[in-house]
Amino acid sequence: MLAGYFSKGINHYMVVKVFGPLIWGRGFCGWACWTAAVLDWLPIKKAGRVRPELKEIRYLTFALSVLLPVVLVRFLNYDVRNDYLHKSEMLWMFAGDAFYYLIAVSLAFIYKDHRAFCKLVCPVPVIMKLPAAVALNMLHLPENRRRPALNAVSATVYPQWMLT
C-alpha cells in the first residue's frame, strides 16, 4: 500500500496527523491547516460559543471520511489506477473541498465563531487527540501546566480554539 498509488496521501496523513502530534501536539490545526487559515479571514466580529454536546458530530464525519473511499473502491468499482490517470480524482477533491468550505463558512457565520467547523465537524482532531495528549512539546512544562491525558493545555500555552 505504501509503495503504490496511495503512498502520497497515506504518508502525508501519517506524518502530519498521526505521528506529528507526538512531537508538536495539535500544531497542525493552528499553523498548517488551510481551512483554519481561510476561516481566520472571515469578517466575524464577536466570538460565539459552540455547545459542547455538538462536538460529538466530528466522530460521525470521521467515520464518513473513512468509509467514503472504502465504499467507492470496494463497492462502486472506483479504479484508483485509471481514475487517477484520467484526473477524476481531482474532481472528487475539488467537489469535496467546495463542500468542506461551504460547511465551514456557514458554521462560522451561524455560530459567530471562526473555528466552529474545527470544533464541530472537522474529522482531523479525532485522530490527533490521542498522540497530542502525550506530545513531546509538553514534556518541558511544569506539572501544573501539563494537560491530563486526552484533555487540553491551558490557554496560556495554546489559543482557545485548540483546546477543543
Side-chain angles (χ1 to χ4, degrees):
M1 182 191 253
L2 292 176
Y5 291 94
F6 293 107
S7 65
K8 290 178 235 164
I10 298 257
N11 289 337
H12 165 78
Y13 201 85
M14 291 298 182
V15 168
V16 174
K17 297 172 181 132
V18 177
F19 299 119
L22 288 169
I23 299 167
W24 54 76
R26 297 227 348 241
F28 171 81
C29 295
W31 298 299
C33 179
W34 292 16
T35 305
V38 168
L39 294 175
D40 280 344
W41 285 92
L42 292 176
I44 298 173
K45 301 288 184 205
K46 119 182 180 181
R49 303 273 311 162
V50 175
R51 292 191 323 225
E53 62 270 10
L54 294 176
K55 294 179 182 180
E56 304 301 319
I57 296 171
R58 70 173 61 161
Y59 296 102
L60 176 64
T61 59
F62 176 73
L64 290 172
S65 69
V66 170
L67 290 175
L68 180 63
V70 170
V71 168
L72 286 172
V73 171
R74 297 294 278 166
F75 302 110
L76 299 177
N77 298 323
Y78 182 80
D79 185 3
V80 177
R81 292 184 183 116
N82 291 328
D83 291 336
Y84 177 76
L85 295 174
H86 293 95
K87 308 296 183 213
S88 67
E89 281 187 5
M90 291 292 279
L91 295 174
W92 277 102
M93 184 190 76
F94 289 136
D97 283 350
F99 185 65
Y100 213 68
Y101 282 105
L102 178 70
I103 292 172
V105 171
S106 300
L107 287 173
F109 282 107
I110 290 169
Y111 287 100
K112 296 190 182 344
D113 185 350
H114 288 99
R115 300 295 173 92
F117 174 82
C118 307
K119 295 172 184 174
L120 291 175
V121 294
C122 182
V124 174
V126 173
I127 289 292
M128 294 176 75
K129 275 189 174 189
L130 188 60
V134 293
L136 291 176
N137 70 345
M138 294 288 101
L139 294 180
H140 70 282
L141 293 175
E143 189 64 37
N144 64 342
R145 297 236 351 243
R146 289 188 192 170
R147 64 179 157 213
L150 297 179
N151 288 335
V153 172
S154 70
T156 58
V157 177
Y158 286 115
Q160 183 63 33
W161 60 265
M162 288 185 75
L163 301 179
T164 58

